[in-house]
Amino acid sequence: MAISNVAGNPGEKTLLLGNEAIARGFIEGGLRVAASYPGTPASEILNTLINVGDKYGIYTEWSTNEKVAAEVAISTAISGLRSMVSMKGVGVNVASEPFQAFSYMGTVGGIVLVSADDVGMHSSHTEQDNRFFAREAYLPIFEPPGPMGAHQMAKAALDFSEKWGQPVMFRTTTRIGHSAADITLGPVQKTKEKGEFKRDPNRWVNLPVNARRMRRELIERMEKIGEEVESIPFNQIVAEGDGQFGVISCGVTFNVVREAFKDLGLGDKIGLMKIGTPYPLPKKMVQQFLASNERVLIVEEVEPFVETQVKSLAHEGSLSTQILGKEHIPLAGESGPREVVMGLSQFMGMEPPNRFERADRIWKEAQALIPPRPPVLCPGCGHRTAFFAINVVEKKLGLKKEGGIVKPSDIGCYTLGYQSPLNAVDTNYCMGSSIGASSGFSHVIDNKIVCTIGDSTFFHSGIPPLLNAVYNKADINVVVLDNSTTAMTGFQPHPGVGTTATGQDTKCILIEDVARACGADTVDVVGSLDLDGLVEALEKAVNTSGVSVVVARQPCVLLDVRTRLKKGEKIKKYQVDQELCTKCELCLNLFGCPAFRKIDDVIDVDLALCNGCAACANILVCPQEAFKEVD
Amino acid sequence: MAVDVKVVLAGVGGQGAVLAGYVLAASAIKEGLSVRTYGDMGMSRRGGSVSSFVNIFDKEGTSATAVGTADLLVGLEPIEAVRYCKYLKEDGIVVVNSYLILPSTVGKKDRAELSEVENLLEFLKKNFKKTIVFDANKIACEINSLTTNIVMLGAAFSTGKIPVSTETFKQTLRDSFAPEIAEMNIEAFERGYDECNRK
């Protein structure tokens, strides 16, 4: 984004997205290697580092998954250089194992695991609070209050990790990563190009004999770190208050709490403590704050992570302070201005402000007027045609009567095949789950099974379950929806694209080759917009026992149209010939391209939205063949 | 006087609500002000509901906008304007594009009823101090259909609520984009401004 200047000079003030601010903080901290797998809300961290990596001598890569990214970053740190590995919150599940082990070994160079937790589940399937993972793996946590704090903390986290020889978690949330603020750039610490691997098998080989020793060393290391966090500026008693009420706030809620104090006119009556390292907590500082307040409210999003620790500290210190938290602050969803003002007024025994009544009335009336607008597959998207073809085959082979085709799917744009009118996604658990789930179904139900998985997801975690399906004799059909990019997160490349993160040419690994190597019984490749070809391939697959793979390939329409327009090509659009249209609405009710519309009883195409895929010209979408190319 | 202005932009994924929010925020920084924005990303590509919150201030502020506190709502599409109007103050101003985009997920029985733009506009007019309505798509399409977002920002500036000069905003466009794209957007901005300046 040319609007922000991540690579600007020290002292320059620029608009940075939270994720750009994190990236800049790492640059200022002398980062050498950055690895990631794309996932909202983390993607922009590596996107940013890729764009400016050359200037600062940073090696960047999109790894095939989060676990591999973690291993890449860990080797950098062991070689004495600084690294970061970023991922969406649920990605930490995938990266978990290497970090569990590496935490015992400790690090040489600074290393930060960025967990971008999706509080509010804007685009994730769980709201999991990865601070618990960090605690379990003994990773100190840095949790910033906003983009500005994130900028300062990212650098500090690298320094801290290197100083204490311990990997660190940097926990951010969607609200921070996707907020932008005016940020003043700091000086950049230059990184060395080459590290040094100092051979030390007693440390870098985690045989039980070494691990048992290292676990004891880890516990000692963490005790010292516990002392250190008493004096770092991210933990602070901000206001003493009058001794009656106090608030301990962690992470993104800090600024919201301050606004709520203003809103409720609390002024300096109430004490306030800010926590930037929820693990380990600055024990003495917390106990001091508890001792000087009669009642304390813990404000943090999602789980009571700080709250339970503070309660335990009160017990240890024999303090009688009343400690409240999740009684007043929600467990689910974000704690925004409203939730915090409501929680705080309950805690203080005050009347909440009444402006919410008006907003609630307006929202109630508004909802009656407007339809939901969920995200949908784009006009011209090849995934729509593929899902439509699966539905056509289900009908054509008379399978609907037998309970229909069971359609497990996976994580990516194509999960939107769930939406009406396609309704072609029956299950989805996690990355790569479509194929494993299908194997499981094939052993216990009689329905035909057709699962869908995207190209990037296939490389991420689709290969082991495909091998499993072949090995364990499953009878399934796998449609790989290959749009030759990681589309939903902003077009990152993967092993099937032929370019690296920085745009260098590399080997292009074809999904059909991998499928054959995995032992699939049949493998076909069809264009995703070739509706007749898709129907034919799917029909064959469904009628073949064993593991059938159909690769449905069509570049992501957004990228494709962009590239073609740049080359000066014209995009051919399609419009409804009103003479032929019988208003049967099958196009709207079965295919549902967002460019189709019906206004005043006329069905036509919004040409501003049409991307010219031509699928609507197929007789399967319109029996009248009323969609015609526009001159 | 202290500056503290909250703007909400709401639209359909692909219309450029988030990008417009950034350009607005960058222009405020150029005037020495502070900004906090929050924009939807990720699972809201083409077709989904998308919003961008831009808070401009000179002392302290946050990126979180509470319901009932925004000064200006810029609706790039009327359904989305209604969806996000709960954030607006009672004496806030709505600037709304009258061009309706009906979600493709709407079933056949609701299609006709939901296509009535007038109901949506009446609702906004009834609940807020001032509602400015115009067809921004028509203007944008005369320039380039991708400029709807900047046409709407032009209209937003014409309310006088935004504490940034139009000259600074145009300069931000020049500094952020290639010359031909910047000029196209400056034209869009001026057309939106002029269209609504009289309303």
Side-chain angles (χ1 to χ4, degrees):
Chain A
M1 194 164 61
I3 297 165
S4 50
N5 191 8
V6 178
N9 295 320
E12 191 177 319
K13 193 190 245 196
T14 183
L15 179 73
L16 292 189
L17 194 64
N19 281 340
E20 292 171 326
I22 293 168
R24 174 69 194 195
F26 287 139
I27 292 168
E28 291 174 9
L31 191 75
R32 176 65 183 92
V33 166
S36 181
Y37 180 80
T40 314
S43 311
E44 298 84 8
I45 300 171
L46 194 72
N47 283 347
T48 305
L49 291 168
I50 289 167
N51 288 339
V52 299
D54 265 358
K55 177 170 174 180
Y56 299 108
I58 301 168
Y59 168 76
T60 54
E61 74 166 45
W62 290 117
S63 307
T64 42
N65 66 33
E66 293 86 350
K67 177 178 180 290
V68 178
E71 288 151 357
V72 167
I74 287 171
S75 293
T76 308
I78 285 179
S79 306
L81 301 175
R82 293 186 166 193
S83 63
M84 78 101 214
V85 50
S86 55
M87 57 200 67
K88 66 184 290 163
V90 288
V92 172
N93 299 320
V94 182
S96 164
E97 193 169 358
F99 267 101
Q100 298 281 358
F102 183 51
S103 175
Y104 279 38
M105 300 169 185
T107 188
V108 183
I111 175 168
V112 178
L113 161 64
V114 181
S115 173
D117 291 6
D118 193 5
V119 179
M121 294 184 275
H122 301 268
S123 45
S124 304
H125 51 285
T126 77
E127 202 167 35
Q128 74 184 54
D129 188 334
N130 280 333
R131 296 180 300 176
F132 283 101
F133 165 80
R135 170 64 191 84
E136 202 275 325
Y138 288 83
L139 307 179
I141 307 168
F142 281 65
E143 189 173 1
M148 266 183 187
H151 171 232
Q152 295 159 2
M153 247 190 209
K155 178 184 184 304
L158 278 175
D159 291 342
F160 189 93
S161 167
E162 189 155 314
K163 178 177 174 188
W164 292 96
Q166 185 62 7
V168 162
M169 173 184 280
F170 186 96
R171 192 234 188 188
T172 168
T173 63
T174 305
R175 183 64 51 177
I176 295 171
H178 290 171
S179 287
D182 47 304
I183 288 189
T184 307
L185 306 180
V188 174
Q189 186 180 321
K190 221 172 159 312
T191 176
K192 277 195 295 190
E193 193 199 345
K194 291 292 175 192
E196 185 191 354
F197 173 65
K198 290 189 182 148
R199 190 166 282 109
D200 185 1
N202 295 335
R203 183 176 182 189
W204 306 129
V205 181
N206 64 348
L207 280 171
V209 61
N210 294 329
R212 283 192 287 266
R213 183 196 75 244
M214 290 192 291
R215 175 156 168 83
R216 281 191 288 273
E217 290 166 1
L218 168 63
I219 293 166
E220 282 168 27
R221 191 155 69 234
M222 285 308 296
E223 272 169 23
K224 290 188 191 133
I225 288 174
E227 292 290 319
E228 171 86 355
V229 296
E230 299 282 352
S231 57
I232 66 171
F234 306 120
N235 298 319
Q236 200 188 339
I237 296 176
V238 181
E240 298 285 349
D242 63 7
Q244 207 185 346
F245 295 104
V247 168
I248 297 179
S249 164
C250 181
V252 71
T253 59
F254 179 71
N255 292 322
V256 184
V257 165
R258 287 215 294 196
E259 285 287 305
F261 283 5
K262 265 195 267 171
D263 199 352
L264 296 171
L266 295 171
D268 51 7
K269 276 209 311 232
I270 187 161
L272 178 60
M273 180 174 181
K274 175 188 191 177
I275 296 289
T277 65
Y279 171 72
L281 280 182
K283 291 186 181 179
K284 288 176 202 147
M285 200 190 292
V286 169
Q287 285 177 330
Q288 183 199 331
F289 189 75
L290 293 178
S292 55
N293 285 287
E294 285 170 30
R295 301 182 76 208
V296 167
L297 178 70
I298 316 291
V299 182
E300 64 188 319
E301 286 186 325
V302 207
E303 305 295 337
F305 181 77
V306 171
E307 183 184 334
T308 46
Q309 293 184 79
V310 170
K311 283 175 175 165
S312 145
L313 285 174
H315 183 73
E316 276 174 36
S318 303
L319 295 161
S320 59
T321 320
Q322 191 187 5
I323 300 160
L324 295 159
K326 291 296 160 187
E327 293 85 350
H328 299 306
I329 302 296
L331 266 171
E334 293 183 278
S335 293
R338 177 178 193 157
E339 289 77 15
V340 172
V341 163
M342 296 300 280
L344 201 56
S345 30
Q346 280 170 16
F347 169 69
M348 305 281 294
M350 297 167 70
E351 274 292 307
N354 65 2
R355 67 157 182 277
F356 298 131
E357 284 169 26
R358 177 180 148 84
D360 285 345
R361 177 189 57 79
I362 287 179
W363 178 229
K364 204 174 156 196
E365 288 174 29
Q367 275 179 306
L369 283 176
I370 55 173
R373 192 189 301 274
V376 288
L377 296 170
C378 302
C381 176
H383 300 338
R384 175 178 290 99
T385 330
F387 281 121
F388 180 74
I390 294 170
N391 289 345
V392 167
V393 168
E394 183 178 45
K395 201 184 257 178
K396 194 174 166 194
L397 299 181
L399 296 170
K400 278 209 146 168
K401 292 189 286 288
E402 300 162 23
I405 293 176
V406 172
K407 309 178 189 86
S409 189
D410 227 298
I411 295 184
C413 293
Y414 50 92
T415 318
L416 300 174
Y418 159 90
Q419 304 287 12
S420 291
L422 294 166
N423 303 312
V425 170
D426 288 333
T427 69
N428 178 29
Y429 319 141
C430 63
M431 288 291 282
S433 66
S434 56
I435 303 176
S438 299
S439 284
F441 284 128
S442 86
H443 298 301
V444 294
I445 60 174
D446 282 335
N447 307 55
K448 293 286 183 189
I449 297 158
V450 177
C451 75
T452 43
I453 181 168
D455 42 349
S456 191
T457 310
F458 180 79
F459 288 113
H460 177 283
S461 49
I463 299 168
L466 183 60
L467 280 166
N468 178 71
V470 172
Y471 168 56
N472 285 309
K473 299 166 159 295
D475 181 9
I476 64 170
N477 307 286
V478 178
V479 181
V480 185
L481 300 166
D482 180 2
N483 61 4
S484 308
T485 186
T486 317
M488 190 162 242
T489 48
F491 313 126
Q492 292 83 0
H494 59 61
V497 172
T499 55
T500 65
T502 50
Q504 290 171 359
D505 287 340
T506 185
K507 275 190 185 172
C508 174
I509 294 129
L510 293 173
I511 291 164
E512 54 271 32
D513 291 348
V514 177
R516 283 186 199 108
C518 288
D521 295 292
T522 68
V523 178
D524 286 292
V525 182
V526 196
S528 308
L529 298 176
D530 173 8
L531 204 39
D532 298 325
L534 275 170
V535 169
E536 191 186 328
L538 284 165
E539 223 177 314
K540 178 184 131 193
V542 169
N543 286 326
T544 309
S545 59
V547 176
S548 305
V549 174
V550 176
V551 181
R553 180 170 290 142
Q554 173 67 28
C556 167
V557 65
L558 296 185
L559 268 187
D560 189 45
V561 166
R562 198 183 287 174
T563 317
R564 283 161 62 197
L565 286 175
K566 262 190 196 151
K567 278 194 227 156
E569 267 182 57
K570 206 170 164 267
I571 306 297
K572 291 174 184 166
K573 308 223 169 191
Y574 286 76
Q575 187 51 280
V576 178
D577 182 338
Q578 297 300 334
E579 305 265 305
L580 296 173
C581 178
T582 59
K583 299 184 175 48
C584 71
E585 297 193 12
L586 286 178
C587 58
L588 294 165
N589 299 337
L590 297 178
F591 192 70
C593 173
F596 299 169
R597 60 186 178 184
K598 186 180 178 193
I599 298 174
D600 299 332
D601 212 36
V602 173
I603 296 166
D604 69 352
V605 175
D606 184 340
L607 291 179
L609 295 177
C610 175
N611 281 320
C613 73
C616 56
N618 190 296
I619 197 163
L620 290 167
V621 176
C622 176
Q624 308 302 320
E625 297 184 274
F627 290 88
K628 300 287 181 200
E629 197 181 310
V630 182
D631 296 328
Chain B
M1 211 177 79
V3 176
D4 186 5
V5 177
K6 294 183 166 74
V7 183
V8 182
L9 295 109
V12 180
Q15 284 189 309
V18 174
L19 183 60
Y22 286 145
V23 185
L24 173 59
S27 71
I29 293 177
K30 247 190 218 319
E31 297 225 341
L33 296 163
S34 278
V35 292
R36 294 288 183 278
T37 78
Y38 176 78
D40 285 325
M41 291 180 192
M43 213 172 182
S44 308
R45 288 202 166 276
R46 300 288 151 97
S49 167
V50 169
S51 62
S52 170
F53 295 81
V54 182
N55 298 344
I56 305 173
F57 48 90
D58 57 359
K59 288 191 181 69
E60 274 185 40
T62 72
S63 60
T65 301
V67 291
T69 64
D71 302 279
L72 183 61
L73 169 65
V74 185
L76 275 62
E77 194 275 345
I79 292 173
E80 296 314 311
V82 170
R83 194 183 316 280
Y84 285 91
C85 73
K86 67 178 172 184
Y87 286 98
L88 200 60
K89 283 176 185 166
E90 191 166 359
D91 62 351
I93 300 180
V94 187
V95 183
V96 58
N97 179 10
S98 59
Y99 184 82
L100 184 90
I101 304 172
L102 202 61
S104 56
T105 46
V106 169
K108 58 181 163 189
K109 74 177 195 308
D110 297 325
R111 249 170 232 144
E113 188 195 338
L114 288 169
S115 301
E116 289 298 328
V117 182
E118 275 313 311
N119 296 342
L120 302 171
L121 301 176
E122 275 314 307
F123 178 77
L124 293 170
K125 285 175 189 164
K126 186 181 80 186
N127 282 298
F128 300 100
K129 191 176 115 189
K130 190 173 180 189
T131 299
I132 300 167
V133 185
F134 75 113
D135 188 344
N137 259 56
K138 194 165 154 243
I139 295 175
C141 284
E142 288 168 22
I143 304 163
N144 179 315
S145 63
L146 295 173
T147 59
T148 311
N149 56 348
I150 304 297
V151 172
M152 288 305 297
L153 271 190
F157 268 78
S158 79
T159 64
K161 281 274 176 189
I162 294 175
V164 177
S165 79
T166 53
E167 216 25 72
T168 304
F169 183 80
K170 287 186 231 173
Q171 191 54 44
T172 309
L173 286 172
R174 286 186 202 104
D175 294 345
S176 308
F177 300 101
E180 67 277 13
I181 296 183
E183 288 314 315
M184 187 171 87
N185 280 291
I186 287 170
E187 188 190 345
F189 179 80
E190 287 172 346
R191 290 282 305 276
Y193 188 98
D194 292 344
E195 178 72 22
C196 294
N197 203 20
R198 282 166 268 129
K199 294 195 179 183

